[in-house]
Amino acid sequence: MKYIQTIPTCETCDLQKFSVFKHLTKIELANLSIDKGCNFFKRGNVLYNEGNRINGFYCVNQGVVKLVKTGIEGREQIIRFAQKGDIIGYRSILSKELACTTAKVIDDAVVCFIPASKLFGLVQNNNSFAMELMKLACKELGEANKFILDIAQKTVRERLAEVLMLLRETFGLDEDHVLQILLTREELANIVGTATESVIRLLSEFKSDKIIALNGRKIQFLNENTLIRLSNFYE
Amino acid sequence: MKYIQTIPTCETCDLQKFSVFKHLTKIELANLSIDKGCNFFKRGNVLYNEGNRINGFYCVNQGVVKLVKTGIEGREQIIRFAQKGDIIGYRSILSKELACTTAKVIDDAVVCFIPASKLFGLVQNNNSFAMELMKLACKELGEANKFILDIAQKTVRERLAEVLMLLRETFGLDEDHVLQILLTREELANIVGTATESVIRLLSEFKSDKIIALNGRKIQFLNENTLIRLSNFYE
DNA sequence: CGTACCATTGAGTTGCCTCAAACCTAGTGG
DNA sequence: CCACTAGGTTTGAGGCAACTCAATGGTACG
């Protein structure tokens, strides 16, 4: 982690238009930039650890961050990802609890830090912002609930197929249908909630079935419909 | 479900003092009572179904409601319980999504219904209320995240022990250490995320180990420390 | 060129699921 | 009062998905 030369200002940040900050006034945005910190983080860097008291929240400007909970014998469970425009740490601040996850960079990232007081100020004075924030929390809650059902009832194969489609939604594919995020087998296992070896075996099954192609950590999507069907997705 | 004679008014409702409504003014509380519906529901009644569009939220005055998601071959996963003072359905309203759970009564209940417009009005005009609501959503989100970790990494035995302690926290024990909520074995399984038979086998194991005593659906706690230890709870 | 990390494959084990049958209890109605 | 039914509970048997452990191969990097 190191200080970067040009701190992106919130007023000129393009991401702001599509994020939770979209309803802020010019003045509010300018105010947000004051006291703001901004750092560059390399893969593996940790923004904060589970159990930390954090006094602000983070806004991802570039790169990818994973939010993980650590369980039995240090095994990680990936709860969600954050990429450009996403904010993290807001949950702990609003609920006035300790951080319930560790935030670890998995793709070199530029991340801004905004003190909690700013967040509370905005919630107090800008109802649209408060609504956006609530919407965000409620959306995440809905996703978490869905994930509970999946992990409780689906097989590992179904979950892996679903996770692949989920990653596809989140990070997209390039022109060759290659997934635009590189994860280790272990990280994949930590999303699905299974053993690394199980992921490896299932991936190579999918490969023999011509559903995906593998090249190191690159995953190429060959047959999305089958993947959706395998994930046992309905409704 | 039938109309009840005396609709509890929000101003005089004791529950209000400890709930998300605790910062409302007398006037706001009075206003909340207007247009409010209130019904009595018997065990098995459904307040709303997963996928419904709901145009208001519910406040539990008496009894217990379970929120479930329905998965493969109709098997239910219990996401959380709501009892007196708790509100349900607010997530869908705030995130403007369809209901992500079905709300089913498991202990005869009196439940008030408040139109969504009232909720939005309060969020607009009362910042403390907006904060409380956000706090609630974020707290639930934290719990959901924890549950994801548990269900992904713990054994069924550990999860059952944990669920028993969780129920103990939520519903309490009477003077004989009997859990103050009656659930079928199937419902227990639907919280833990396992098969009914597995719950039965493990419960009778706990019984032979003198950790609990069973009498129909009544569960008596004999040794909470062992239960905590079995749940693999740490930190 | 060694070290570290990750990926892969095989073998063996087991926790948990499914299926099936029997039993218990409470409610209904003749 | 008893027979009947329905819903829930319990126990047994058998099978398999997925885990653990272990060994090997590949790749990147200082």
Side-chain angles (χ1 to χ4, degrees):
Chain A
M1 161 182 150
K2 54 186 167 187
Y3 259 93
I4 57 171
Q5 271 64 39
T6 53
I7 292 185
T9 59
C10 297
E11 302 103 293
T12 60
C13 182
D14 282 342
L15 302 173
Q16 160 262 117
K17 299 192 188 76
F18 311 98
S19 74
V20 72
F21 302 114
K22 63 185 163 201
H23 292 130
L24 297 203
T25 64
K26 276 241 177 284
I27 296 165
E28 285 169 328
L29 282 172
N31 184 31
L32 205 57
S33 277
I34 305 171
D35 312 333
K36 195 181 75 168
C38 192
N39 292 305
F40 175 78
F41 298 88
K42 287 198 79 62
R43 175 174 168 87
N45 286 161
V46 168
L47 302 190
Y48 57 84
N49 274 295
E50 198 174 340
N52 283 174
R53 183 175 304 286
I54 52 179
N55 53 5
F57 69 101
Y58 299 80
C59 184
V60 180
N61 184 273
Q62 260 180 59
V64 182
V65 178
K66 65 177 174 182
L67 301 186
V68 305
K69 285 183 81 75
T70 306
I72 297 154
E73 302 185 28
R75 246 188 62 210
E76 294 180 350
Q77 174 67 39
I78 297 183
I79 299 295
R80 71 170 174 110
F81 294 100
Q83 54 179 331
K84 53 174 189 270
D86 293 335
I87 61 172
I88 51 186
Y90 75 95
R91 196 208 65 82
S92 314
I93 297 188
L94 289 175
S95 66
K96 297 183 195 298
E97 296 172 326
L98 301 177
C100 79
T101 55
T102 296
K104 201 178 279 184
V105 173
I106 58 168
D107 203 3
D108 297 0
V110 175
V111 182
C112 298
F113 175 85
I114 297 140
S117 56
K118 297 272 179 192
L119 188 72
F120 288 121
L122 282 174
V123 170
Q124 294 289 313
N125 299 313
N126 186 328
N127 291 320
S128 312
F129 176 74
M131 268 308 297
E132 281 302 319
L133 205 53
M134 249 181 253
K135 239 160 106 174
L136 180 63
C138 289
K139 194 161 158 289
E140 267 194 61
L141 183 54
E143 286 163 9
N145 287 342
K146 170 158 178 33
F147 197 58
I148 288 171
L149 178 71
D150 284 348
I151 214 162
Q153 296 198 0
K154 288 186 177 179
T155 64
V156 171
R157 164 189 260 92
E158 289 168 335
R159 260 145 55 200
L160 179 60
E162 182 168 8
V163 162
L164 288 175
M165 286 310 297
L166 203 126
L167 292 171
R168 190 227 171 290
E169 293 304 313
T170 311
F171 298 105
L173 307 179
D174 70 6
E175 61 279 6
D176 293 327
H177 304 279
V178 172
L179 185 64
Q180 292 298 70
I181 180 81
L182 299 179
L183 298 171
T184 65
R185 302 294 192 251
E186 189 181 1
E187 280 169 334
L188 268 173
N190 291 345
I191 310 171
V192 175
T194 186
T196 309
E197 296 93 327
S198 298
V199 165
I200 290 170
R201 282 182 239 270
L202 287 169
L203 279 182
S204 60
E205 254 188 61
F206 289 174
K207 185 178 155 188
S208 355
D209 294 348
K210 310 267 186 254
I211 301 167
I212 56 171
L214 297 171
N215 180 6
R217 289 181 195 165
K218 284 184 197 156
I219 300 175
Q220 188 184 21
F221 284 59
L222 302 178
N223 187 340
E224 296 187 28
N225 288 331
T226 305
L227 218 44
I228 292 170
R229 192 152 37 74
L230 277 181
S231 78
N232 217 329
F233 182 80
Y234 48 110
E235 301 141 77
Chain B
M1 164 181 149
K2 53 185 167 187
Y3 260 93
I4 55 172
Q5 271 63 39
T6 54
I7 292 185
T9 59
C10 298
E11 303 102 293
T12 58
C13 180
D14 283 342
L15 302 171
Q16 161 260 117
K17 300 193 188 74
F18 311 99
S19 74
V20 72
F21 302 113
K22 63 184 161 200
H23 292 130
L24 297 202
T25 63
K26 276 242 177 283
I27 296 164
E28 284 170 327
L29 282 172
N31 184 31
L32 205 57
S33 277
I34 306 172
D35 311 333
K36 197 181 73 167
C38 194
N39 292 307
F40 173 80
F41 298 87
K42 288 200 76 64
R43 175 173 169 88
N45 286 161
V46 169
L47 302 189
Y48 57 83
N49 274 295
E50 197 174 341
N52 282 174
R53 183 175 304 284
I54 52 178
N55 51 5
F57 69 101
Y58 299 80
C59 184
V60 180
N61 184 273
Q62 259 180 61
V64 182
V65 178
K66 65 177 174 182
L67 301 185
V68 305
K69 283 182 83 75
T70 306
I72 297 155
E73 301 184 28
R75 249 189 58 212
E76 293 181 351
Q77 175 67 37
I78 297 183
I79 299 296
R80 71 171 174 107
F81 293 100
Q83 54 179 332
K84 53 174 189 269
D86 294 334
I87 61 173
I88 52 187
Y90 74 96
R91 196 209 65 83
S92 314
I93 297 189
L94 290 174
S95 66
K96 299 184 194 298
E97 295 173 328
L98 301 176
C100 79
T101 55
T102 295
K104 202 177 280 183
V105 173
I106 56 169
D107 203 3
D108 296 1
V110 175
V111 183
C112 298
F113 175 85
I114 298 141
S117 56
K118 295 274 178 191
L119 187 71
F120 288 121
L122 283 173
V123 170
Q124 295 288 314
N125 299 314
N126 186 328
N127 291 318
S128 312
F129 176 74
M131 269 306 298
E132 280 303 318
L133 204 53
M134 249 181 253
K135 239 161 106 175
L136 180 63
C138 289
K139 194 160 158 291
E140 266 193 60
L141 182 54
E143 285 162 10
N145 287 341
K146 172 158 177 31
F147 197 58
I148 288 172
L149 178 71
D150 283 349
I151 213 162
Q153 297 198 359
K154 288 187 177 178
T155 63
V156 171
R157 164 190 258 91
E158 289 167 336
R159 262 145 53 201
L160 178 60
E162 183 169 4
V163 162
L164 287 176
M165 286 311 296
L166 204 126
L167 291 171
R168 190 224 170 289
E169 293 305 313
T170 311
F171 298 105
L173 306 180
D174 70 4
E175 62 278 7
D176 293 326
H177 304 279
V178 172
L179 186 62
Q180 291 298 78
I181 179 82
L182 299 179
L183 299 170
T184 65
R185 303 293 191 248
E186 189 181 2
E187 280 168 335
L188 269 172
N190 291 345
I191 312 172
V192 175
T194 188
T196 310
E197 296 93 325
S198 298
V199 164
I200 290 169
R201 280 182 240 272
L202 287 169
L203 278 182
S204 62
E205 255 188 60
F206 289 174
K207 186 178 155 188
S208 355
D209 294 348
K210 311 265 184 259
I211 300 167
I212 56 172
L214 297 171
N215 181 4
R217 288 182 195 164
K218 285 185 196 155
I219 301 176
Q220 187 183 23
F221 284 59
L222 301 178
N223 187 340
E224 296 188 27
N225 288 332
T226 305
L227 217 44
I228 293 171
R229 193 153 36 73
L230 277 182
S231 78
N232 216 330
F233 183 80
Y234 47 111
E235 300 141 76

